[in-house]
Amino acid sequence: MRSPKDFFAPLAVGAPAPLTQVPSRPSRVIHFFDPSNAKMAAKVPAMVGTVDVLLGNLEDAVKADKKEAARVGLVAIAKATDFGDSTQLWTRVNSLDSPWVLDDLTTLVSEIGDKLDVIMVPKVQGPEDIHYVDRLLAQLEAKAGLTRPILVHAILETARGVANVEAIAGASPRMQGLSLGPADLAADRRMKTTRVGGGHPGYLVRQDPPAGVEDAVNAPRATYQQDLWHYTIARMVDACAMHGIFAYYGPFGDIADVVACEDQFRNAFLLGCVGTWSLHPVQIEIAKRVFSPSAEDVAHARRVVEAMGDGTGAVMLDGKMEDDASLKQCQVMLELADRLAASDPALAELYAVQPASSDGSGGSGGDEGAGAGWVR
Ligand SMILES: CC(C)(COP(=O)(O)OP(=O)(O)OC[C@H]1O[C@@H](n2cnc3c(N)ncnc32)[C@H](O)[C@@H]1OP(=O)(O)O)[C@@H](O)C(=O)NCCC(=O)NCCSC(=O)C[C@](C)(O)C(=O)O
Ligand SMILES: [Mg+2]
């Protein structure tokens, strides 16, 4: 067992010191691209500033005979692109039991480690997988002379991974967040679905049989589709909140069904996730819209804060009781709104917040504490 005192010491001589807090930069949309797909890769530089995260995917969805081309392609894109302050560069490496992952990690850290913010590790089974990556990254960072640690994001896509979710979330100060991996998870759990995320018409509850009707069981009755992913997302959100890291929905494979995609993303947002993945350009605006609080929610939260005065006691607002606890929910909403507005002028306008500095350049910047520098 590691002593808490050791937790924030580098795991290799010369490696950068681990962070004591995960940077809360906006990550509403993690946009996946295949660096071995020339047409897709060519679009990446123009996407900087339009998405919070660009993720060069090396794992599933990249053909086996394109794995090396994807790695080389990602290195080339990272070297040639200025990602600015508002877009991060992430990657998803191949799984830890694959023949590619060692070269993925050694190449990426040594060639573009200074540009990579987060490495997503698929099919994480338990804290031991994170410990392995943690030490290896420290060695590679030291060798490459990096001054800032690369963070790690784990995908929950096995039953064992879900069973170990709290231990995974707390396995290292490098842990940035967790995403749901619904397709692999469904297969591993032997769920009888064939989709990538989203609902299923067979997973439902049915209204009770109507009273006083002949053959009531076969009478028409409403059915309500249920969310297959509620349990996993809720566990993931709690594990992340407990360890001060961030939870994300993951992929929604039915690209054409933008309506159901938005519903699924919103469920995750309401449950506590901070973002999701986009697999296709059509999902980008959906994710950004859903994972940014609405102007109405922000306005309501401000009214509650104002009505609550010193923040204690109970008041009535629009016929509803507000107290210390509803105030805290409103503060969560406002902190998120401030943080997003600090790097998104359209949201700043929507929420009508003003930069605190007189030259108009104020704002907290993505990395700093929520809401710093902004006034309402
Ligand atoms: C779905 C696909 C095949 C449809 O690709 P398409 O070319 O057939 O679509 P399209 O509608 O015809 O594309 C329109 C335009 O958008 C471009 N385009 C299309 N997609 C992108 C993109 N992502 N980024 C940038 N550009 C993109 C595309 O190149 C085209 O450009 P054009 O107008 O110039 O011809 C394609 O979008 C794609 O490959 N997306 C990424 C898929 C991916 O990364 N999958 C892995 C993550 S999900 C996963 O792994 C599961 C998980 C977690 O592991 C688990 O649950 O277990
Ligand atoms: Mg997967």
Side-chain angles (χ1 to χ4, degrees), residues 59-60 92 123 157 184:
E59 201 224 4
D60 291 356
R92 177 172 77 170
K123 303 177 178 72
E157 36 192 359
D184 271 300

Side-chain angles (χ1 to χ4, degrees), residues 31-34 37 39-41 43-44 47 54-55 57 59-62 92 120 122-123 155-157 179-186 195-197 250-253 255 277-282 284:
H31 183 72
F32 271 58
F33 68 93
D34 174 355
N37 178 328
K39 210 166 84 168
M40 217 187 267
K43 295 187 188 303
V44 168
M47 298 180 92
L54 278 164
L55 183 145
N57 176 36
E59 201 224 4
D60 291 356
V62 174
R92 177 172 77 170
M120 202 179 253
K123 303 177 178 72
I155 316 179
L156 291 183
E157 36 192 359
S179 286
L180 171 73
D184 271 300
L185 182 55
R195 304 168 172 210
V196 179
F252 189 88
I255 307 290
W277 304 6
S278 69
L279 303 183
H280 186 279
V282 77
I284 292 173

